[in-house]
Amino acid sequence: MAAPLLFLTLLAITCSVAWASDPSPLQDFCVADPNSPVKVNGLVCKDPKLVEAKDFFGSGLNVAAQITNPVGSQVTPVNVVQIPGLNTLGISLARIDFAPWGINAPHTHPRASEILTVLEGTLLVGFVTSNPENRLITKTLNKGDVFVFPVGLIHFQQNIGYGPAVALAALSSQNPGVVTIANAVFGSKPDISTDILAKAFQTDPAIIANIQAKF
């Protein structure tokens, strides 16, 4: 391989690794300006002279969320939407409240790894490796235990106790995103064809239509 071509190949590989997560800040901070009409990969910086302490502040994570959904959990996010000062810093947080036997349904974060700490209760947690192995890695966590979910992999949590449970999740992106598998597959707008899903799940189209109706 010619030297210039080799250099460009190595540069492309290096850049692909360097750009695999949130971009690093090039100044002390870049507080998000959600009202800016300019569209960028992320959010436009607010004028530094107008930045205040409230741009870096959030509250309320001591308050348990009301759980009214059928899965039995509620996520309270703390990302760049709630704290504009997180813009370009590559971190965010979430509190997860669980009803007894509630689940945080299988989902992925396309832009972040996650480290979860159990604050109260007992959780069964796990993630599934990518194709072709699809290996389930799972563990029971108690108060004070910590578990890591690698970026992009399907993962879940279940409260296996008889009382409420609480966990705190830290994520490696200001905007990690979330794709809940059941919602995405069965609740897409418009619907994925029942024939496609029936073949994928090796079941009858009528069963797929019944599931889609729940979403």
Side-chain angles (χ1 to χ4, degrees):
M1 183 181 293
L5 182 57
L6 175 61
F7 172 77
L8 290 175
T9 302
L10 292 174
L11 180 62
I13 294 172
T14 302
C15 290
S16 67
V17 172
W19 295 338
S21 60
D22 288 4
S24 299
L26 299 176
Q27 57 278 321
D28 288 345
F29 50 77
C30 174
V31 173
D33 180 2
N35 299 316
S36 173
V38 179
K39 302 298 181 184
V40 297
N41 182 27
L43 293 165
V44 174
C45 301
K46 181 178 180 180
D47 184 341
K49 297 183 180 63
L50 302 178
V51 167
E52 304 174 73
K54 67 179 183 180
D55 294 318
F56 302 93
F57 175 77
S59 64
L61 284 187
N62 61 312
V63 179
Q66 288 191 337
I67 301 172
T68 59
N69 58 62
V71 298
S73 72
Q74 184 65 48
V75 178
T76 303
V78 184
N79 56 42
V80 71
V81 174
Q82 288 77 34
I83 301 182
L86 286 174
N87 193 36
T88 75
L89 298 186
I91 55 172
S92 60
L93 200 64
R95 172 180 170 139
I96 313 166
D97 288 280
F98 298 86
W101 301 100
I103 66 168
N104 189 11
H107 63 282
T108 72
H109 300 294
R111 295 180 289 275
S113 295
E114 174 182 343
I115 183 166
L116 181 104
T117 303
V118 178
L119 302 182
E120 293 291 342
T122 301
L123 297 179
L124 174 67
V125 305
F127 65 85
V128 180
T129 63
S130 57
N131 297 351
E133 187 180 24
N134 298 135
R135 179 184 171 202
L136 174 62
I137 297 176
T138 185
K139 187 167 180 60
T140 298
L141 305 182
N142 296 300
K143 183 176 180 178
D145 290 344
V146 176
F147 197 81
V148 173
F149 304 103
V151 59
L153 296 186
I154 296 173
H155 59 283
F156 63 87
Q157 301 100 32
Q158 180 186 28
N159 179 7
I160 57 174
Y162 291 95
V166 183
L168 197 63
L171 301 115
S172 61
S173 172
Q174 69 182 41
N175 182 25
V178 60
V179 180
T180 304
I181 306 306
N183 297 46
V185 173
F186 296 109
S188 65
K189 302 292 185 291
D191 289 341
I192 299 174
S193 167
T194 55
D195 291 339
I196 292 173
L197 293 181
K199 182 167 287 190
F201 287 94
Q202 296 294 289
T203 190
D204 189 271
I207 294 175
I208 296 296
N210 182 55
I211 297 173
Q212 287 177 322
K214 300 178 187 299
F215 291 86

